[in-house]
Every structure is written in C-alpha cells, then in structure tokens.
Amino acid sequence: QVQLVESGGGLVQPGGSLRLSCAASGNIFSSNAMGWYRQAPGKQRELVATINRPGGTNYADSVKGRFTISRDNAKSTMYLQMNSLKPEDTAVYYCNKVPLRSDYWGQGTQVTVSS
C-alpha cells in the first residue's frame, strides 16, 4: 500500500525559504519519477517540479531558479527547497508520482507566504 506524507510547510514572509519533505512508503519510490504539485485557493492543482530516478529535474517556469527538487532513494524521501518565496506561491503542496495517480494523494502541507 502506497502512502505519501508531506511535511515542512508553514507561514513565511516574502523572500523567505522553506524546505518540504515527502516520505514515501510502499513500492513507489524505487522505479518512478516523482513530482511536487500545488493547489492554490480557487485554482487547479499544478505540477511545479519533477525528478526522475537518476536525478534529472524539470521545473515550471513560475518556480524555475527559486525551487530545487531532490530525492534520497535510499530513504524513499523527496525534498523541495523553496527560496525567494512569493505570495503567489501560497498553496497546499503535495507529492505524487509522475504521471500522478489520483489514489496516491496525501494530505499535503500548507505553505503561506505573507507579510
């Protein structure tokens, strides 16, 4: 049974930083590309960063240069380092495989960027 648990969110001022973690259990991490998704109030969930098993990465234009995705395959854990945060980064952040499976969503972690 796959379980994804996100953590590390919080309230931060514009320009600040946060590091999100995604702990995976079940047979998902070993052979899948993984991604961070986010959903802002009133908006659809969007994919913001992906990482394949060897470590190749891709980013949405809105976060490129500010966010860094990484993974530790031995720990089945994925991270998202978020720097230079903006109010428009406010959202609930989720992890999932790429392409996603709707039955894999966790509870997400709230990120609020506000002064």
Side-chain angles (χ1 to χ4, degrees):
Q1 182 178 357
V2 170
Q3 186 175 20
L4 298 168
V5 179
E6 302 92 349
S7 62
L11 173 64
V12 63
Q13 292 187 342
S17 298
L18 283 173
R19 189 192 193 208
L20 306 184
S21 298
C22 168
S25 60
N27 189 24
I28 181 175
F29 215 81
S30 60
S31 57
N32 286 292
M34 299 292 294
W36 282 99
Y37 302 75
R38 69 184 181 187
Q39 186 166 22
K43 295 188 177 181
Q44 288 190 333
R45 200 170 300 190
E46 62 172 341
L47 178 62
V48 296
T50 66
I51 185 167
N52 60 25
R53 198 179 187 284
T57 59
N58 277 292
Y59 299 92
D61 288 343
S62 59
V63 307
K64 200 171 294 184
R66 301 187 297 121
F67 290 11
T68 302
I69 189 172
S70 61
R71 65 191 290 167
D72 185 334
N73 291 330
K75 295 182 179 179
S76 294
T77 301
M78 181 174 65
Y79 306 96
L80 186 68
Q81 177 67 43
M82 305 187 296
N83 299 327
S84 303
L85 282 161
K86 305 176 180 180
E88 51 264 43
D89 295 318
T90 295
V92 180
Y93 284 71
Y94 303 87
C95 58
N96 204 317
K97 62 182 289 293
V98 178
L100 66 88
R101 275 190 56 161
S102 58
D103 56 336
Y104 285 178
W105 293 119
Q107 83 289 349
T109 186
Q110 175 72 48
V111 171
T112 302
V113 185
S114 175
S115 54

